[in-house]
Amino acid sequence: MLTSTYHFKSAHKRELFYKCLTPAFVCDAKGCLLDANAAAEPLLSGQQTKNLWHIFDIGRGLLSEKDKHCQVVPLIQDSSGQSLFLLYVDKLDEKEQTYLVRAQPQLKDFNQPLGMRERPFFYDALTGLANHYAWYRRDQHRQYTEPSALVLIKLHNLRAINILVGMQSGDELLRELGESFKALSNESMHIYRFPGAKFLLVLNQPVDSLKKWLYEDLSQLLSEQLSFHDLQGMHIEWRAGATLYRHQVSAQALMEECSIAMAHASLSQPYVCYRNEYQVVIAHRNRQQNRIYQALEDEQLELWLQPQTLDSGKVVGYECLCRLKDANGEIIPPDEFLPYVDLNNWYAWLAQLVWARACELLSDWDERLGNVPISINLAGPELLDERFYQMLLKRYSQSALLRQRLALELTETSMVGQLAQTKQRLSSLAQAGVTVLIDDFGTGHASLAQLVDLSISVLKIDRLFVSHVLDSAIHSNIIKASIQLADSLDMRVIVEGVETAEELEALKALGCKMFQGFYFGHPQPYQKLLEQFNP
């Protein structure tokens, strides 16, 4: 079994390794196992493990400087002697002589039923449904009548449910939905669980006849079968993309068409059937995603600083705002890259880069900007990432400079989601001396008791309320009440989004003392801020 845990130099490669749905291992030059992901567990037993290292040794010997990948001999075979998995070996680190070994399914047609040995690889443990391997490897070869339909269905807001209510409730939703789908399954409808919150339905009926089923029957199923869950007022949202089954089109191409159609679905039109012109839009999205991925991979990231001031204009802190740069040096603003971070769950990867850049910034800080704290933003999910959290706890515990100068900002919604675990981790960080700010206060669902429990140091009142401070007594009263609440809990308050002198005077009259917004300064790169001191 494992004798050590491999330290990935790239946070992104680490995340891909541990979240990969196929078995993956890290080995040293002698073939010794350094790390394995969860999907590899069925292979880590007795003779199978011995077979793995024997195969690895063969594959490693075949690698050359020019070969990026090396396909080697079968790892697992079914009762008919056909390969279920092949091993692939990649060089992970040239200097350390470490290798990444991946077991990938061999997608061949076979008609024999799955044995007990093969079954875990082709069935989803959570729902009991056949998984995406089963579809790609075997069931794509069923002779469906044409025109049959393929429908890819996704619980669109499962991530929000996981954050606000808890991942256990999210898993229960998927489990119940899987049971409901199994009850519908028959000779004319085959159902598969795909990675994430997705299900594939293959139906022997034309796509046009599915609209009633999707809009009425599926919606009723989601609302009735899952209504017993306490979702704190949230509604289940779904999206579906469909295409026609054609014998001459590969399974992968059919699934891409479903995904492309789903990408065009919306809350008002959750069901979309594939059209050829969608390819152009998706190609643009793919280029944008690749642009953002490459910027993260190359660590082309800047932190722009926006001052936090007293009404006199004296700077008492800075918020660090992330900007990415593409290969041409063009700035990618947050409203362009954050949707892709959310779509691909790159939160921990981005947070690791922002954290490292903020630490570099503090180490080179020019005292002319004042020895004031700076803060970085976290979206919430990265705080629940075990490795990132342990790194934060360790670094803050070891550094007085970080405890004094580097604060963490989280939005109100992200802080009250996953409350038990968030509370525990924020409490531990607070005990280590970390300053925690709650951003966009008033736009989420935090209660007074939750604010006390979450060890908050600073409230930041959202621009939503500031923008109406001159014309709405309700918004003014909310700001005033928030300040009184913070005072009673011994918290400081920063009012965000101050843009005019009139807003500033109105906010001062309500008791506000610390401000942030364009009136006091736009976000700027660090070097640009220093230029004000040049003669």
Side-chain angles (χ1 to χ4, degrees):
M1 288 300 176
L2 295 182
T3 56
S4 65
T5 300
Y6 182 73
H7 175 68
F8 286 84
K9 295 181 179 179
S10 167
H12 182 54
K13 289 181 179 178
R14 179 190 70 212
E15 184 178 2
L16 288 177
F17 175 77
Y18 285 106
K19 294 185 177 180
C20 182
L21 294 171
T22 57
F25 314 85
V26 178
C27 306
D28 64 16
K30 295 181 180 180
C32 294
L33 179 62
L34 301 178
D35 208 348
N37 66 0
E41 291 181 4
L43 303 181
L44 297 178
S45 60
Q47 185 63 34
Q48 194 60 61
T49 304
K50 181 179 179 181
N51 187 34
L52 172 66
W53 307 135
H54 169 69
I55 295 170
F56 166 74
D57 195 53
I58 296 174
R60 182 169 53 87
L62 295 176
L63 281 172
S64 68
E65 292 299 322
K66 294 182 179 180
D67 293 329
K68 185 177 181 181
H69 303 286
C70 177
Q71 179 176 316
V72 293
V73 293
L75 173 62
I76 297 179
Q77 295 180 332
D78 62 21
S79 56
S80 68
Q82 295 193 21
S83 302
L84 292 176
F85 282 86
L86 296 181
L87 278 186
Y88 292 77
V89 180
D90 300 276
K91 285 185 178 178
L92 189 61
D93 189 292
E94 185 72 34
K95 184 177 180 180
E96 296 181 359
Q97 287 294 296
T98 53
Y99 298 84
L100 177 63
V101 184
R102 296 173 295 117
Q104 296 289 357
Q106 178 72 350
L107 307 180
K108 291 183 177 179
D109 182 23
F110 70 106
N111 297 314
Q112 294 84 356
L114 294 175
M116 293 301 294
R117 189 182 185 191
E118 302 91 36
R119 189 177 177 86
F121 295 105
F122 295 95
Y123 279 83
D124 174 51
L126 181 65
T127 64
L129 293 169
N131 63 17
H132 58 300
Y133 292 147
W135 158 253
Y136 283 123
R137 184 177 186 272
R138 183 181 67 171
D139 292 343
Q140 61 166 302
H141 298 283
R142 293 180 187 269
Q143 294 301 304
Y144 297 108
T145 59
E146 295 188 25
S148 293
L150 274 67
V151 184
L152 189 63
I153 299 172
K154 177 181 180 180
L155 288 186
H156 186 69
N157 60 337
L158 181 65
R159 179 182 165 273
I161 292 171
N162 285 337
I163 291 176
L164 289 171
V165 188
M167 295 189 67
Q168 185 175 355
S169 294
D171 286 347
E172 187 63 24
L173 279 173
L174 292 173
R175 189 179 296 110
E176 290 293 327
L177 185 56
E179 290 296 322
S180 299
F181 279 146
K182 278 192 284 187
L184 295 174
S185 183
N186 53 47
E187 287 301 318
S188 62
M189 181 186 296
H190 304 284
I191 303 171
Y192 305 83
R193 166 77 193 280
F194 268 53
K198 297 177 183 176
F199 297 85
L200 175 67
L201 279 61
V202 186
L203 302 99
N204 287 329
Q205 56 182 297
V207 174
D208 290 343
S209 67
L210 290 174
K211 290 184 179 180
K212 177 181 180 297
W213 189 88
L214 285 168
Y215 279 118
E216 298 180 12
D217 299 348
L218 179 62
S219 297
Q220 184 177 359
L221 180 148
L222 290 174
S223 61
E224 290 183 357
Q225 297 292 333
L226 308 178
S227 60
F228 67 91
H229 292 280
D230 180 13
L231 300 181
Q232 298 185 4
M234 296 185 65
H235 297 285
I236 302 295
E237 294 182 16
W238 60 276
R239 303 287 188 271
T243 192
L244 290 175
Y245 176 85
R246 287 98 73 202
H247 293 303
Q248 72 277 15
V249 180
S250 70
Q252 185 63 43
L254 290 171
M255 288 310 305
E256 287 178 0
E257 290 180 2
C258 288
S259 297
I260 289 171
M262 182 189 292
H264 285 78
S266 63
L267 182 61
S268 60
Q269 187 182 5
Y271 165 75
V272 173
C273 190
Y274 174 77
R275 295 162 58 182
N276 288 330
E277 54 264 33
Y278 289 160
Q279 288 278 10
V280 177
V281 177
I282 295 300
H284 170 74
R285 291 180 182 175
N286 287 341
R287 287 193 297 270
Q288 183 73 339
Q289 178 166 297
N290 292 337
R291 178 185 178 218
I292 293 164
Y293 173 89
Q294 197 59 52
L296 292 171
E297 185 72 17
D298 297 338
E299 300 185 5
Q300 293 299 308
L301 175 147
E302 287 186 354
L303 294 184
W304 289 20
L305 304 177
Q306 185 173 32
Q308 297 163 342
T309 75
L310 303 178
D311 59 353
S312 63
K314 179 182 178 181
V315 176
V316 292
Y318 291 94
E319 179 181 357
C320 298
L321 301 168
C322 180
R323 302 291 187 269
L324 296 182
K325 279 188 176 181
D326 64 16
N328 298 320
E330 183 179 343
I331 293 293
I332 309 175
D335 59 351
E336 290 188 22
F337 68 75
L338 286 179
Y340 291 92
V341 171
D342 179 67
L343 179 66
N344 296 283
N345 196 24
W346 290 340
Y347 292 109
W349 185 17
L350 176 62
Q352 182 69 44
L353 296 176
V354 170
W355 164 268
R357 199 54 49 87
C359 291
E360 293 174 5
L361 196 62
L362 281 179
S363 65
D364 296 329
W365 191 260
D366 193 309
E367 292 187 358
R368 290 178 294 177
L369 294 176
N371 290 320
V372 296
I374 64 175
S375 61
I376 61 173
N377 291 282
L378 300 181
E382 61 274 79
L383 190 62
L384 299 176
D385 181 275
E386 184 65 30
R387 291 170 182 254
F388 182 69
Y389 164 71
Q390 291 295 339
M391 182 277 295
L392 288 179
L393 197 59
K394 179 180 179 181
R395 292 291 302 277
Y396 275 113
S397 299
Q398 295 175 344
S399 173
L401 176 65
L402 293 179
R403 294 194 296 271
Q404 295 166 5
R405 299 282 304 280
L406 184 52
L408 303 179
E409 289 194 25
L410 289 95
T411 61
E412 182 181 345
T413 299
S414 68
M415 295 181 78
V416 297
Q418 291 281 5
L419 184 58
Q421 192 172 10
T422 303
K423 174 184 173 182
Q424 180 183 10
R425 296 194 167 186
L426 286 175
S427 178
S428 298
L429 289 169
Q431 290 175 13
V434 182
T435 298
V436 179
L437 298 84
I438 181 167
D439 198 10
D440 301 338
F441 178 69
T443 61
H445 305 89
S447 68
L448 175 61
Q450 289 168 342
L451 290 179
V452 173
D453 289 341
L454 289 172
S455 306
I456 309 303
S457 301
V458 182
L459 296 182
K460 298 186 73 177
I461 297 177
D462 188 68
R463 164 71 185 166
L464 170 67
F465 301 100
V466 175
S467 62
H468 294 286
V469 71
L470 298 176
D471 55 30
S472 171
I474 293 177
H475 288 80
S476 297
N477 289 335
I478 290 174
I479 294 173
K480 186 175 182 179
S482 299
I483 295 171
Q484 293 172 346
L485 168 65
D487 288 342
S488 68
L489 298 175
D490 196 26
M491 299 176 187
R492 289 170 289 153
V493 174
I494 299 174
V495 183
E496 295 185 287
V498 183
E499 297 185 355
T500 67
E502 291 77 15
E503 289 176 346
L504 175 60
E505 291 303 316
L507 292 167
K508 287 166 58 179
L510 295 173
C512 303
K513 297 178 181 178
M514 296 175 61
F515 309 90
Q516 181 179 338
F518 293 164
Y519 181 75
F520 295 97
H522 288 254
Q524 297 183 75
Y526 174 73
Q527 294 298 331
K528 187 73 173 178
L529 280 174
L530 291 178
E531 290 179 5
Q532 63 183 302
F533 301 105
N534 295 336

